[in-house]
Amino acid sequence: MKMIFLLGFVVSLFFTACSSTPIPKAVKIDATASKVDYLKEVKPILEKRCVTCHSCYNSPCQAKMSSFEGVDRGASKLLVYDALRLTAASPTRLFIDAKSTEGWRKKEFYSLTQSPDSNATHNDSIMMHLLYDKKEHPELIGEYAPESDELICPRNKEELGEYFEEKPNHGMPYGFPAIKESEYETLAAWLHQGAKGPTKEEQLKLETPSSQASLEIKKWEDFFNKSDAKHKMTARYLYEHLYLAHIYFSTAKGEYYELVRSYTPSGVQPQIIPTLRPFDDPEVSVFYYRFVKIHSTIVHKTHMVFKFDDRVLTRFHELFIKPKWDKKPYEVGYDAEISSNSFVAFEQIPVRSRYQFLLDNAHYIIQTFIRGPVCRGQMALNVIHDHFWIMFQDPDADMAVLHPELLKEQAYNLALPIKNVDRSVFQVFSDEYRERYEAYYKVKEELITKEFPQGMSLDAIWKGDKPSDAPLLTIYRHFDSASVHKGVIGEEPRTMWVIDYAQLERIYYNLVAGYDVFGNITHQTNIRRYMDFLRIEGELNFLSFMPSEKRFSMLKSWYIGDKELETRKNIRISLLGDTIAYKTENEKNEFINMVVNGHILKSTDIKFDTLNYIAPDEKTPCIPKSYKIDADFIEAARSLTLSGSGFTTFMTDSGANNIFLRIDMSDGTYITKNLVINRWHDNVNSLFNGKGVLDSSKDTMDILNFSVGSYPNAFVVLKEKDLADFIGLMKNMTGTDEEIGRLKKYFVSRSDKQFWEVFDWFQKDYYKKDSLRAGLYDLNRYARTVWNSK
């Protein structure tokens, strides 16, 4: 008996010791008689200081602050990003997977704004504690990386106590300066008053289209919901490619809409059908395409704009309704075997119509898988180089357009690993889809050789049909995010792609329509592996325009150290003839010059970048001895773009890839630039690419005149008088402590007292320059280390 008592005493001591973490006391709130208005007072603060990190799947603890519905939903300990999960997770998409507070509580979300222990003078909500902790402990210590830091995601006071003990100086905003005292008082009063959202009338106004938009919506919903098979299959194809778009009507400025599948028809509140992917079975015999007004904060990383007007409607008719289809139009069911293979699901629609739609909207289509809904894309993005240019096969030289039977006969080999999101873990590294892909590619190459035995001329490159077209696109990868831009931006990249119809459609369905962030390891890994094949196909398409004897050696230069490359000799890379007669030994440069300067439609206004692009016959730019005229600064800036510059060589952190620069001129004006670092990779052909394929001595920098990307890695603010010192430091630094100390005075640390002022300036400047496409920047990937700028 004594032993039992003693054991119980020891156990109680153990648990008492384990629970010794102090529990935070409720926060005292200064009483206010005035009611705090959510839309007018609270929402602007949340947008400026919270949504910058809490707006997508990458929001820490899934706390999404971009709408009151997200604020009310709260937070969760469940991981969205988990590339190693054995079974698919239940999705947690705001507005879709639960429609009420109770629904989210059943999905293990907990409130950040409510607490039963609050009283007349004190507030005990998690959000209040996190704000108060930052107010009391504003100093930033160490490093802050909210996407990768191991977070407790506290759901009660006990866990809050553990969080504050384990992570001192980690209140909210996480890793940034505290909000202003007036902002703190507003949020505190709002929380204390019950954290109420918009009134019913205000919410209705938020969700209701304007009268101008309503007219457009009626016209477009009539088009999308016509009952004949031709219109139905057209609407289905368009929906599967536009479901991510932020659609806008020129008559309704500032309003954006999403195209959804709804249980309810026009004239009734839309009820979204909650399928995982746009081609999944809606599991109802009748549904409707509807437009839903977006009332969440517009954030840049998901803001992909698509204009709907009469011209676009006419174009859709020209492409899909007027032409005679390959078969009499008929409706296709949603069996997964069919719906997950667009070449089967839409085989009746002329290939030329489908491809021309993608070309008409090439910038948007590429943007969907460069940005897309995933928000955090390192696993998907380590399959591409940091900088490359894209061209497109002309429809009159595209094998699928010239021989539509190719897609039908190769439908099995063209299938993607997207049929389901929960495949057996034993299929993680299956070569099934690789073998299918190689079988298709062999047939396609044989067909090309038969069709163009002497090789393809420049006319096989799509030149564009109208000024708004984007026959050339630039891709920048910023480690775990990326951006796409019309034209040939930056230096001449190491690799280039030519994309044909079948490749473009597969890239889209593989990375966008068919990708599920909640899928298991097999789903995510196989999609990543398949993208290797699609990248190589784009590169091989480009190489087919190069001299046949040089194609394989050029390919090898893009895949340094890749042991599998020799096995790719079986790909018929050198069989196609040489139609283009080159005059120099630098055929790649000569080819892209012919495309840009003499082939593409002039009205597209695509030209080489005069700052970053250095022609082979140009003199290598260098730092001038003195700065007397503007040309001296331009020459110095051009020298910074070259490999071997000090900053790119020694500042190799992945968190320094996209830098926003402001130069304060002596006359009171400003100049803004984006400094984009292009990291060298020996090859990007492995799922496990790491630092072993990097070579900082070959890294380069592009200096751009426009905002690039959604995630600033750093802000730089300098005076005109310091520009020469800054350029010299960036060019010649060797990584010494003294140099880094000098550099820090120009770079804005996340701990800087003026940080929010600087951030607000850049954000406002972006809205001013591009109000249609601008959105809120995301600060989750801002330079994680704290430093003293002085």
Side-chain angles (χ1 to χ4, degrees), residues 230 233-234 237 318-327 329 346-357 400-401 404 407 501 505:
K230 197 172 196 179
M233 292 307 297
T234 295
Y237 182 81
E318 290 173 353
L319 291 177
F320 297 103
I321 305 303
K322 289 182 181 179
K324 182 180 179 181
W325 283 17
D326 297 342
K327 296 180 180 179
F346 300 109
E347 66 172 355
Q348 60 187 298
I349 301 177
V351 177
R352 184 179 290 272
S353 295
R354 285 180 270 164
Y355 189 27
Q356 192 61 58
F357 166 78
V401 176
L407 300 181
Y501 166 67
E505 200 79 276

Side-chain angles (χ1 to χ4, degrees), residues 399 403 443-455 572 575-576:
M399 291 303 101
H403 300 278
V443 171
K444 186 188 87 165
E445 285 299 288
E446 289 173 348
L447 199 56
I448 292 174
T449 304
K450 185 182 297 185
E451 191 75 33
F452 300 101
Q454 302 305 314
R572 302 155 68 87
L575 294 185
L576 207 59

Side-chain angles (χ1 to χ4, degrees), residues 174-214:
Y174 187 95
F176 290 108
I179 58 178
K180 293 178 181 178
E181 181 66 24
S182 59
E183 294 171 335
Y184 173 86
E185 290 174 356
T186 297
L187 293 182
W190 170 69
L191 288 166
H192 201 52
Q193 292 172 11
K196 304 295 184 184
T199 64
K200 287 185 179 180
E201 294 76 15
E202 289 172 332
Q203 188 66 31
L204 183 63
K205 185 177 180 180
L206 287 174
E207 298 175 0
T208 303
S210 65
S211 57
Q212 297 91 334
S214 295

